[in-house]
Amino acid sequence: MSEAHVHTDFDTRMMAIALAMAARGLGRTAPNPSVGAVIVDESTGEVISRGWTQPGGRPHAETQAIARAGERTRGATIHVTLEPCSHYGKTPPCAEGIIEAGLKRAVVAILDPDPRVSGRGIRMLRAAGLEVKRGVLAEQAHWITHGHILRVTQRRPHIQIKMALGADGTVPRGEAGKPVWVTGPEARAHGHLLRAKADAILVGSGTVRDDDPELTCRLPGMAERSPVRVIVASRRLPPLNSKLVTSARGTPVWIAVPSSIDAGTLTPYVEAGCKILPVASMEGRPWLPAVCEALVAEGITRLLVEGGPTLWRAFASAGFLDEVLCYRALRGDVASGIHGARVDLAALSPAHTFALVESRHVGTDGLYLFHRQ
C-alpha cells in the first residue's frame, strides 16, 4: 500500500472522530455551525487533542483543539469538519490561529458557503505554507453542517420531520389534550434526544389542542437542552392554559401568526411570556417560507417538525423537507419486523424521492431515517 493510501485511510479515521465531535454541539451552537476538530501527530498516529464548537457558538472547534494541544501543535495536522473561518468577528479568524499554532497540514471536509469565508480560509492556510486536503467524508460533514449551509444559501433551517406510526402505518390522533402512544419508551426517549439536537421544535396549533404537549427534552440531565418551541397558528390560537403557553417563561415559546391578526388577541400570550412572530400569510395561514425566514432571522438553523400529517404535507409541498425520521410499531417478531415493515413516503411528498439511509430497532419499534434526494 502506498504512503498516499495510508494517509487517506488515516485521514478518514481522524475525520470520523472530528465529525463525532461536531455532533456533540448540535442544538447548542446556533446560529453558528457545530464544527469538530482533531489535532494529530501523523508520525505516531496519536490523537493529541479534540475540540468542538462550544454552546452559543464560541469558542470555535479549532480554537478549543489548539488550546488543548498547547505546544504540541508545532508540526502537527488538524482535521476539521468545516473550512476554518477567515474573517474577524467577535473572535479572530480560526485560519489565522491554525497558522500561528505552527500546524503543518490541514484536512478539511467541506468549504464554508458563508461569503465571508467561501474558500478564503483554505487560501490563507495554503499561502502560509500549509498542505491542505479537502473533501474527506464530505457527505457526512454536509449533513451535520446542513443547517448552516441552508441558512446561508436559502434563508431557511435544516428541517427534519419526526413521525410515529402504528403497526398498520397510520398516525393516531390525540383528543382533549391526551396524546396516544403507539411506540415504546425507548423510541420516545430517542425522540427526546432528537429534540436536544434541534435549535427549535415546531407544531401546529391543532396539535397543541389535541395533545397538549410539552415539547421539552426530558432525558435525565438534559433538561437544559430543550429547544425553542414554535407554534404555527392561524386565527385560532392555542389555548392559554396549554402546557406550552403556561411554561413559556421557563422554556421559550414562539408563536408564528399571520401579520394581519388583531394585536389585542395576542396580548395574553405576550403577558404569558410567549414571543410573537408575525409573518406573511396565505389563505389565512402563516406562509411557511415566511415562517422559515423568520426563524432563521432569530438564529434557528435546525428545525424539528413534529405535529401531524397536515403539517408534514405542508412542509413537504413547500419543498422544506430534508430528513424524515419515522418510528413505527412492529408486528410480531421484533427480530425480523424491521425489514417487513415498510414506510411509504409517497403520500407525504409525491413530488420528491427519498433515500432510506438507516433502519434499526429502537426497543420493540423500528426506526427509519430518510434523506430527501
Side-chain angles (χ1 to χ4, degrees):
M1 182 179 288
S2 70
E3 184 179 359
H5 284 148
V6 170
H7 283 173
T8 296
D9 293 342
F10 180 78
D11 287 341
T12 299
R13 293 197 304 272
M14 294 303 105
M15 188 61 75
I17 296 174
L19 288 166
M21 296 300 99
R24 288 187 177 189
L26 292 178
R28 308 193 78 186
T29 66
N32 285 0
S34 184
V35 177
V38 176
I39 295 177
V40 300
D41 181 339
E42 288 198 65
S43 65
T44 63
E46 177 190 359
V47 174
I48 298 172
S49 67
R50 300 172 295 170
W52 56 95
T53 310
Q54 296 300 292
R58 294 179 181 81
H60 291 179
E62 301 94 322
T63 303
Q64 291 285 286
I66 289 170
R68 290 179 177 132
E71 288 299 315
R72 296 193 65 191
T73 58
R74 301 290 167 185
T77 295
I78 186 168
H79 292 73
V80 61
T81 59
L82 181 67
E83 177 184 10
C85 62
S86 57
H87 61 285
Y88 281 87
K90 295 182 179 179
T91 56
C94 286
E96 187 176 281
I98 289 172
I99 294 166
E100 292 176 351
L103 288 150
K104 70 172 184 179
R105 183 168 178 262
V107 182
V108 178
I110 58 174
L111 294 182
D112 190 340
D114 190 323
R116 297 172 299 176
V117 186
S118 194
R120 292 182 180 88
I122 296 291
R123 291 195 293 272
M124 281 181 66
L125 297 179
R126 285 181 172 150
L130 276 80
E131 177 191 344
V132 180
K133 182 175 182 179
R134 289 172 44 193
V136 177
L137 296 185
E139 183 176 355
Q140 293 91 325
H142 172 86
W143 279 102
I144 281 186
T145 320
H146 203 217
H148 169 69
I149 294 170
L150 291 175
R151 180 183 70 84
V152 172
T153 61
Q154 297 186 29
R155 296 295 297 166
R156 73 168 178 88
H158 171 84
I159 297 171
Q160 181 183 66
I161 285 180
K162 187 195 92 173
M163 56 176 65
L165 306 179
D168 60 357
T170 62
V171 181
R173 182 171 180 173
E175 186 176 355
K178 295 181 179 180
V180 176
W181 303 111
V182 294
T183 55
E186 295 89 350
R188 294 199 294 275
H190 191 274
H192 281 263
L193 185 61
L194 287 184
R195 293 176 179 177
K197 293 180 178 181
D199 301 331
I201 180 172
L202 182 146
V203 296
S205 56
T207 293
V208 180
R209 290 190 296 271
D210 290 344
D211 295 349
D212 194 19
E214 293 181 54
L215 303 182
T216 52
C217 175
R218 295 190 291 280
L219 296 176
M222 296 185 71
E224 80 283 356
R225 297 286 297 268
S226 293
V228 171
R229 300 168 296 171
V230 181
I231 306 169
V232 176
S234 55
R235 296 191 178 279
R236 190 178 180 189
L237 296 167
L240 278 168
N241 64 351
S242 64
K243 292 175 183 175
L244 286 173
V245 175
T246 56
S247 65
R249 295 195 183 280
T251 302
V253 171
W254 300 350
I255 307 177
V257 298
S259 55
S260 59
I261 197 168
D262 177 46
T265 63
L266 301 171
T267 300
Y269 296 91
V270 174
E271 292 175 345
C274 299
K275 182 185 183 78
I276 305 299
L277 300 178
V279 298
S281 61
M282 181 175 289
E283 297 179 352
R285 300 183 181 88
W287 189 42
L288 287 184
V291 172
C292 288
E293 188 158 348
L295 292 177
V296 162
E298 295 290 340
I300 301 301
T301 66
R302 291 176 57 85
L303 178 66
L304 176 63
V305 177
E306 294 201 8
T310 300
L311 190 62
W312 302 339
R313 283 192 290 268
F315 271 90
S317 297
F320 295 162
L321 194 164
D322 302 300
E323 288 185 304
V324 176
L325 199 142
C326 177
Y327 303 94
R328 178 162 179 171
L330 301 177
R331 288 192 178 99
D333 182 15
V334 173
S336 60
I338 191 75
H339 303 295
R342 298 182 59 189
V343 177
D344 184 7
L345 299 181
L348 172 66
S349 183
H352 302 110
T353 58
F354 297 87
L356 177 64
V357 297
E358 180 183 359
S359 61
R360 61 185 175 92
H361 289 104
V362 178
T364 58
D365 305 304
L367 168 65
Y368 307 84
L369 174 63
F370 299 85
H371 287 172
R372 196 182 96 176
Q373 300 295 288

